[in-house]
Amino acid sequence: MFAAVSQDEDDALITGDKRALIALSEISEVPIVDSLWEKIITLEEAIYLIVQRSGFDLVSQRIRARPDVNVALSVIFGRANPNKIGEVLEGLNSYMNHLQSISQGKYLLPY
């Protein structure tokens, strides 16, 4: 997928594969790989942007209805009881900050 997204400057990639991003971050001093980071959007980042722009309640209901799809999102949005928007945004921020840290700062935060 990384190779495909590198072919066109207008392409972007949404991924929930944290291990792939960590592996990508370990490749250094390869210009084509370095240029990929501005095209990568994590699933958590996409959800963060959707929650901020489109409405929290609907997103929360949909994610909480399928806790088996993504464990991290399920925990962030609340398993037994729904978390409030502030808690959810904090959880998503925490995930993105952690990814930036373990990717040696290569993952770009959306803000």
Side-chain angles (χ1 to χ4, degrees):
M1 290 191 305
F2 295 129
V5 80
S6 72
Q7 299 300 310
D8 189 328
E9 66 182 49
D10 293 330
D11 285 348
L13 172 68
I14 298 176
T15 181
D17 191 344
K18 187 175 181 179
R19 285 181 276 188
L21 295 175
I22 293 167
L24 186 67
S25 74
E26 293 172 357
I27 301 171
S28 58
E29 299 181 27
V30 178
I32 192 112
V33 173
D34 292 339
S35 70
L36 290 176
W37 288 99
E38 62 191 34
K39 299 172 158 224
I40 295 172
I41 300 168
T42 63
L43 178 60
E44 289 74 12
E45 179 181 343
I47 297 296
Y48 178 89
L49 295 170
I50 292 167
V51 163
Q52 287 197 312
R53 294 187 175 117
S54 299
F56 172 72
D57 291 331
L58 180 60
V59 175
S60 178
Q61 289 170 10
R62 298 248 170 113
I63 289 174
R64 293 186 72 249
R66 291 295 312 271
D68 58 313
V69 173
N70 186 296
V71 174
L73 287 177
S74 175
V75 170
I76 288 170
F77 277 85
R79 287 192 159 234
N81 295 305
N83 287 332
K84 296 178 180 166
I85 188 169
E87 297 166 320
V88 168
L89 293 175
E90 184 179 323
L92 294 169
N93 273 316
S94 176
Y95 178 91
M96 291 183 288
N97 286 325
H98 183 252
L99 182 56
Q100 185 185 43
S101 168
I102 62 175
S103 70
Q104 305 164 42
K106 293 180 180 180
Y107 167 67
L108 305 173
L109 294 172
Y111 43 82

